[in-house]
Amino acid sequence: MRTRTRLAAVSGLAAMAASAGLLLGAAPASAGPNCASGYHCVYYLGINDSARHSYFDSDTDFRNDTFNQLTSRTGGGQTVHNNVASASNSSTGGYESHYYTGVGSDWEGFLFCVNPGSHVDYLPGSLQNRASSLRLRGTTSINCF
Ligand SMILES: [Ca+2]
């Protein structure tokens, strides 16, 4: 009986070690503020005080999107196109969020990018209210927020 008990304890430890190894081996999840895991979020004004829209993938045209989350805040229901003031990146796949002034998949007019797990709360004035599309990219050498 004593031997059996000891074996159970040892295999329990092995299971714990195995699950710890799995956690370490998983791709790191990067959480930006006020943005659900896996999403690339934009805000009408500040990250914590305005309405939000969350993108799960690239989007070639912000003209058909609205700030449809946290809509009781400033900017709720407004179009996303030319109204982005802040951005947060909670990518779980390590994707950078790249924003452009152009509409369409030719990705014209690069504006700025946000690294996984990073954010920009109020873009510099010259970059505010200009984003029209979002492209998810893997790690680039471009200097992002
Ligand atoms: Ca769209």
Side-chain angles (χ1 to χ4, degrees):
M1 285 306 267
R2 286 176 70 185
T3 307
R4 178 171 281 188
T5 305
R6 211 166 129 229
L7 275 173
V10 168
S11 71
L13 280 174
M16 282 173 66
S19 71
L22 281 174
L23 285 174
L24 289 173
S30 303
N34 195 16
C35 186
S37 178
Y39 287 88
H40 301 253
C41 301
V42 292
Y43 308 82
Y44 185 78
L45 290 174
I47 287 175
N48 291 309
D49 61 16
S50 70
R52 178 182 68 197
H53 185 91
S54 301
Y55 290 100
F56 187 71
D57 205 345
S58 298
D59 194 303
T60 57
D61 191 347
F62 286 178
R63 290 176 299 189
N64 58 3
D65 308 316
T66 60
F67 291 99
N68 59 348
Q69 298 174 319
L70 306 172
T71 54
S72 63
R73 296 178 174 183
T74 306
Q78 296 290 314
T79 180
V80 175
H81 180 247
N82 287 347
N83 275 325
V84 173
S86 302
S88 181
N89 180 347
S90 289
S91 173
T92 48
Y95 289 102
E96 301 174 0
S97 337
H98 287 242
Y99 293 89
Y100 303 79
T101 57
V103 167
S105 56
D106 47 359
W107 309 115
E108 283 187 38
F110 172 77
L111 270 178
F112 66 95
C113 52
V114 183
N115 284 317
S118 186
H119 67 280
V120 52
D121 197 16
Y122 286 102
L123 288 153
S126 62
L127 299 175
Q128 283 185 24
N129 304 327
R130 295 184 63 194
S132 302
S133 54
L134 165 68
R135 180 188 184 191
L136 307 196
R137 300 190 67 184
T139 306
T140 69
S141 59
I142 299 170
N143 190 21
C144 301
F145 288 104

